[in-house]
Amino acid sequence: MNNEIGISFVSYYLPNKKKDLITLDRENKLDSDVEKLSALGFNHAFVAENESHIDLAKKAIKKTLKESGISPEEIDLFVFSGALPGSVLVEQSNEGQSLDIFKYSASKLQYDFGLNRANVVAISQQGCGSLMSAVWLARNTLLAEKKMENALIVSSDVLPKWSKREMIYNVISDGSCAAIVKKRSLVNKIISYSQITKGYYWDPLAKKNELIAAYFPTAKIAIGKALEKSGLKLSDIDWIIPHNVSIRSWEILLKLLKFPEEKFYSGNILTKGHTIAADNFINLKDATDDGLIKKGQKMLLFTFGFGANWSSLILEH
Amino acid sequence: MSQILLVTGANGMIGSELTKKFIQEETFDKIVALTHENKNSLPDETKKFKVLKSNIVKARLGLSLKDYKDLTKEVTAIVHCAANTKFSLPLNEARKINFQGTVNVCTFAQKCRNLEKFAFVSTAYVAGKRIGMVKESDLRHNEGFINTYEQSKYEAEVYLDELKDKLPMNIYRLSTVVGRASDGNVSNFNAVHLALKLYYHNLAPFLPASEGSYVDFIPLEFAISSIYHIFCKRFLSGFTYHIVSGKENSLNVNDLINQTYEVFTEFNPGWSRKSIEKPSLVDIPTFQLISKSANELNNKVLVQVIKSIETFAPQLLYPKEFDRSNSNTVLKEAKIEVTPLNQYYRKIVEYCLLTNWGRKPYIPVQ
């Protein structure tokens, strides 16, 4: 990969409302016992009660543009990624005009932020891997388009009110995360990316146990592929920047990889929780802000998204 | 004096094949087969072959007083095959047949006034969690066991060891019998076959095993011909024999997984479309963490899967080699050689697939 392209800025937004497991259980939003989920490392979920995914996306984009100093006119590519079907459209309409089904979130956000020069693309079927896929898409597009310099990517998801907050032993938060992928980035150069999609598991309810069984061996292989593409060994990796799906799942995966726990950024798993596609990049932002990531250090990001997609991204800070 | 043989567990995998062999070879004037359940796997009774329903856990082996007494008068040889070979039993259950049953058979044997030979069919894995070279003369250790089958057979051997001066005794320690080398037939689906089934159904992501560890399986024919030869032709009291394949005739765990993968793919091209990964080899702490997580989640399927695997596979984390000095000496002269696993393993896997692990009749592929 051309290591000139990197993720130069990241911002995120989590709703103010935080519900603990007991509250979620009382509201019938969990399938498993509170104690079991707590043992797996879950604590609470961020819940957007009066905000839509568009509201959340706007907050993350606004912060990113402001902090990066990049003006909307400088954005050449805008990639919106949402893991949930409801994120595709600005709002759901059960009995409105047929044209309502084309009220795309990506176009509205482009207009709202005045990203007038930006080509607009949306990713909607990568589950929790969608923001990582957006990085890959942005990187490849910038590489292919000589005149493009900056891509703005964003993921934003809000679970519908009727939905449970637990999905196969994961407690899910609402949230959004935006990032600038740019040429000649001074930080977070993209070294390699790998993705394994196993369509056999397209129906997670029907294939639940098989999917759980497949998760770890396939994760190991996806990580191995990203390392192979980068020419690096696992021992060259300074940090694993995780998704926030249960500390227990990471304890197992780290043992499987034989990767030292002290090089694993676990700080956010309990406090931030699992925010669908945003986890790895929220963690990247916080780990950087905490001063943990030093210049030149290599980071490995890994996530899994329903679909079923196992994705791994290697960055150099 | 007539030579009368008593076989316990005569309807089991080893017992039934041995009984057929004894009948076929006409080594004994009469054979009495003790069976616990049905006798479907045995030939019809004749003047020279009698089947008695019994229960070796009970006093007098569950026989009538008359039968018991008559047998003590006439039996000259005993092959004690009866065992519960399930790996997942609670220890007290495993001990019932494997230990107490052995005690009862030995009590009977000591009452047989004309007894010339007594053989106990055991397992090489009485060595439990020992690592390194295990001699045929070795027995007692404090390393622990992977499952209750190993432990209960070990306890039976320790009991027998105390009787070695009182009974003319052989012990035959078999490694895992996976089926017939000639056609892949599996008459007893055990934990190994269940593991294959889990893998086929995409439910075996982990195998507690170390890289390069090898798996000692033996085919049924080798087990039978070895026991028969040593017991009938070269019986020498006080000896224990490892009836195993040895490293040179085995496959390491990676090769075994690869061959299994190939057979599954060839048998069912649709299987490879599922992109099922080969199981990852993990150490004990990792496997324990996975087991703990499955239990905490109370996911019944995964808990069952983990239980099935943990009753035997961790043996692969305790690499050991079984010394074959005694068995080699007597088997080589008779040109009894074990078929290398790579010559018949595929047939075993195919048999499992073709019969859906014993649920369907076997119809060989032409």
Side-chain angles (χ1 to χ4, degrees):
Chain A
M1 270 192 176
N2 181 342
N3 61 11
E4 291 298 303
I5 296 172
I7 303 168
S8 60
F9 290 93
V10 180
S11 289
Y12 63 87
Y13 173 76
L14 299 173
N16 292 327
K17 187 77 179 178
K18 214 160 92 169
K19 293 189 177 180
D20 61 23
L21 295 180
I22 293 168
T23 307
L24 293 171
D25 189 42
R26 201 185 310 126
E27 293 176 357
N28 196 28
K29 295 292 182 190
L30 305 177
D31 292 322
S32 306
D33 294 343
V34 168
E35 280 178 11
K36 280 174 194 159
L37 292 170
S38 187
L40 291 175
F42 292 103
N43 206 345
H44 54 257
F46 290 92
V47 179
E49 289 195 315
N50 300 307
E51 294 170 297
S52 70
H53 65 286
I54 296 290
D55 297 327
L56 268 57
K58 279 183 173 178
K59 285 178 174 158
I61 291 171
K62 196 173 171 184
K63 278 166 85 175
T64 302
L65 289 174
K66 187 179 171 190
E67 287 172 16
S68 69
I70 294 174
S71 71
E73 291 77 22
E74 291 177 275
I75 301 296
D76 302 297
L77 175 69
F78 175 55
V79 185
F80 175 80
S81 60
L84 306 175
S87 303
V88 173
L89 302 178
V90 174
E91 58 194 10
Q92 300 296 313
S93 173
N94 291 330
E95 48 184 56
Q97 298 292 320
S98 298
L99 283 176
D100 280 353
I101 58 179
F102 299 105
K103 289 158 95 174
Y104 292 131
S105 301
S107 300
K108 175 166 172 54
L109 289 168
Q110 187 228 18
Y111 175 72
D112 287 350
F113 282 93
L115 309 172
N116 298 328
R117 290 182 50 251
N119 287 2
V120 176
V121 182
I123 293 171
S124 65
Q125 298 186 14
Q126 305 289 308
C128 301
S130 60
L131 195 55
M132 211 177 279
S133 294
V135 170
W136 179 49
L137 180 70
R139 175 259 171 203
N140 285 349
T141 307
L142 294 184
L143 207 58
E145 299 285 342
K146 281 187 181 171
K147 290 188 177 175
M148 284 192 176
E149 290 288 327
N150 302 309
L152 172 65
I153 62 173
V154 65
S155 77
S156 181
D157 287 292
V158 172
L159 282 173
K161 297 251 184 283
W162 54 263
S163 172
K164 295 255 184 182
R165 290 234 156 234
E166 183 191 346
M167 314 272 175
I168 310 189
Y169 312 117
N170 298 321
V171 179
I172 293 181
S173 288
D174 303 324
S176 63
C177 184
I180 299 288
V181 178
K182 72 187 300 279
K183 285 178 180 166
R184 288 170 291 281
S185 174
L186 297 176
V187 291
N188 301 329
K189 289 173 187 171
I190 299 165
I191 308 291
S192 71
Y193 171 81
S194 80
Q195 180 182 324
I196 296 173
T197 300
K198 293 190 170 179
Y200 172 69
Y201 305 102
W202 67 270
D203 182 347
L205 187 60
K207 297 284 190 294
K208 180 178 165 183
N209 290 322
E210 287 182 70
L211 188 53
I212 294 170
Y215 173 82
F216 293 102
T218 314
K220 189 180 173 187
I221 289 169
I223 288 169
K225 280 175 73 175
L227 287 166
E228 191 183 337
K229 279 185 181 180
S230 68
L232 296 170
K233 300 188 292 287
L234 194 59
S235 56
D236 296 322
I237 298 298
D238 298 291
W239 291 99
I240 283 185
I241 307 291
H243 60 57
N244 293 345
V245 180
S246 107
I247 191 76
R248 178 63 60 75
S249 74
W250 275 106
E251 285 169 1
I252 294 170
L253 188 53
L254 292 178
K255 282 186 186 296
L256 204 57
L257 294 169
K258 297 186 169 60
F259 190 82
E261 284 183 26
E262 60 272 18
K263 290 161 75 175
F264 169 71
Y265 182 73
S266 59
N268 272 351
I269 295 181
L270 281 178
T271 55
K272 296 286 195 305
H274 177 45
T275 48
I276 307 190
D279 293 359
N280 301 90
F281 299 92
I282 290 174
N283 295 341
L284 175 64
K285 161 83 174 159
D286 287 356
T288 307
D289 289 353
D290 290 348
L292 292 174
I293 316 290
K294 310 294 181 211
K295 188 73 184 163
Q297 285 193 325
K298 311 277 190 314
M299 293 165 283
L300 186 146
L301 287 67
F302 168 77
T303 195
F304 166 80
F306 285 129
N309 305 287
W310 285 257
S311 309
S312 183
L313 179 69
I314 296 178
L315 305 173
E316 182 181 334
H317 193 61
Chain B
M1 189 177 66
S2 293
Q3 294 295 306
I4 314 290
L5 170 70
L6 179 84
V7 181
T8 72
N11 53 339
M13 175 179 61
I14 298 293
S16 63
E17 291 299 314
L18 260 182
T19 302
K20 287 176 202 166
K21 177 82 174 169
F22 287 129
I23 292 170
Q24 182 192 329
E25 298 291 335
E26 298 184 339
T27 320
F28 292 90
D29 300 309
K30 184 180 170 188
I31 297 168
V32 179
L34 297 189
T35 68
H36 180 50
E37 290 165 348
N38 59 50
K39 54 176 186 175
N40 293 345
S41 54
L42 292 173
D44 292 336
E45 289 184 76
T46 63
K47 269 188 180 176
K48 296 175 78 176
F49 175 58
K50 189 175 183 187
V51 179
L52 290 177
K53 193 168 181 188
S54 76
N55 181 350
I56 65 162
V57 175
K58 292 185 176 175
R60 296 198 316 264
L61 310 178
L63 300 169
S64 69
L65 184 59
K66 182 179 182 305
D67 282 343
Y68 190 84
K69 279 191 168 175
D70 287 350
L71 286 173
T72 58
K73 287 175 195 161
E74 61 182 6
V75 165
T76 59
I78 297 171
V79 180
H80 175 33
C81 301
N84 193 328
T85 58
K86 285 183 185 163
F87 294 165
S88 56
L89 292 174
L91 185 57
N92 59 348
E93 280 299 308
R95 279 174 172 158
K96 278 183 186 171
I97 294 182
N98 299 342
F99 178 77
Q100 188 55 48
T102 300
V103 170
N104 292 345
V105 172
C106 287
T107 303
F108 167 80
Q110 287 175 280
K111 289 177 179 170
C112 293
R113 63 188 75 159
N114 299 314
L115 190 72
E116 294 171 6
K117 303 174 185 179
F118 176 92
F120 177 59
V121 177
S122 186
T123 170
Y125 294 99
V126 293
K129 294 181 181 175
R130 281 189 60 184
I131 57 171
M133 178 62 76
V134 180
K135 290 183 181 173
E136 288 162 307
S137 55
D138 290 350
L139 174 59
R140 286 175 170 82
H141 65 84
N142 296 309
E143 301 302 319
F145 303 93
I146 300 298
N147 56 55
T148 57
Y149 174 67
E150 291 177 0
Q151 183 172 348
S152 56
K153 292 295 265 190
Y154 169 85
E155 289 169 354
E157 277 205 30
V158 169
Y159 171 78
L160 286 168
D161 195 47
E162 301 292 323
L163 296 178
K164 63 187 173 192
D165 296 330
K166 296 174 183 167
L167 283 175
M169 188 191 306
N170 269 182
I171 294 174
Y172 306 129
R173 289 183 188 151
L174 311 183
S175 73
T176 307
V177 182
V178 280
R180 268 200 314 244
S182 57
D183 59 3
N185 179 283
V186 178
S187 55
N188 179 39
F189 289 91
N190 59 32
V192 172
H193 306 102
L194 177 60
L196 292 175
K197 188 176 183 178
L198 292 173
Y199 179 25
Y200 186 70
H201 291 291
N202 197 10
L203 290 170
F206 301 106
L207 198 60
S210 42
E211 294 281 345
S213 54
Y214 76 95
V215 184
D216 199 300
F217 292 151
I218 54 169
L220 183 58
E221 299 96 320
F222 176 68
I224 300 305
S225 56
S226 300
I227 294 173
Y228 178 82
H229 178 75
I230 302 170
F231 188 71
C232 294
K233 312 283 186 191
R234 290 295 303 267
F235 187 89
L236 201 56
S237 181
F239 278 80
T240 295
Y241 300 87
H242 279 154
I243 298 174
V244 299
S245 276
K247 200 169 183 174
E248 68 279 16
N249 295 308
S250 301
L251 288 170
N252 74 46
V253 67
N254 297 95
D255 290 339
L256 201 72
I257 290 170
N258 288 339
Q259 282 204 18
T260 307
Y261 184 89
E262 283 170 20
V263 179
F264 285 174
T265 304
E266 285 164 23
F267 178 83
N268 178 5
W271 188 82
S272 61
R273 285 183 56 210
K274 296 180 184 179
S275 305
I276 294 170
E277 301 299 345
K278 293 168 188 170
S280 294
L281 305 186
V282 297
D283 56 18
I284 284 288
T286 308
F287 192 75
Q288 284 171 340
L289 189 61
I290 294 161
S291 174
K292 183 182 168 192
S293 304
N295 279 294
E296 282 175 357
L297 293 172
N298 200 21
N299 182 312
K300 287 176 186 167
V301 173
L302 294 180
V303 167
Q304 197 53 46
V305 166
I306 299 282
K307 268 189 183 171
S308 305
I309 293 173
E310 73 188 355
T311 56
F312 76 98
Q315 190 57 254
L316 294 167
L317 289 163
Y318 299 91
K320 54 178 74 68
E321 194 170 346
F322 299 108
D323 171 48
R324 289 173 286 161
S325 303
N326 294 346
S327 54
N328 275 347
T329 302
V330 292
L331 296 179
K332 274 187 178 170
E333 67 185 15
K335 295 186 175 155
I336 295 170
E337 292 178 347
V338 67
T339 308
L341 183 59
N342 63 5
Q343 288 181 20
Y344 69 92
Y345 179 67
R346 294 175 72 92
K347 292 180 198 170
I348 300 286
V349 182
E350 281 167 3
Y351 185 89
C352 291
L353 289 162
L354 285 165
T355 63
N356 189 16
W357 282 266
R359 289 186 171 195
K360 291 194 304 192
Y362 174 63
I363 302 168
V365 176
Q366 296 302 315

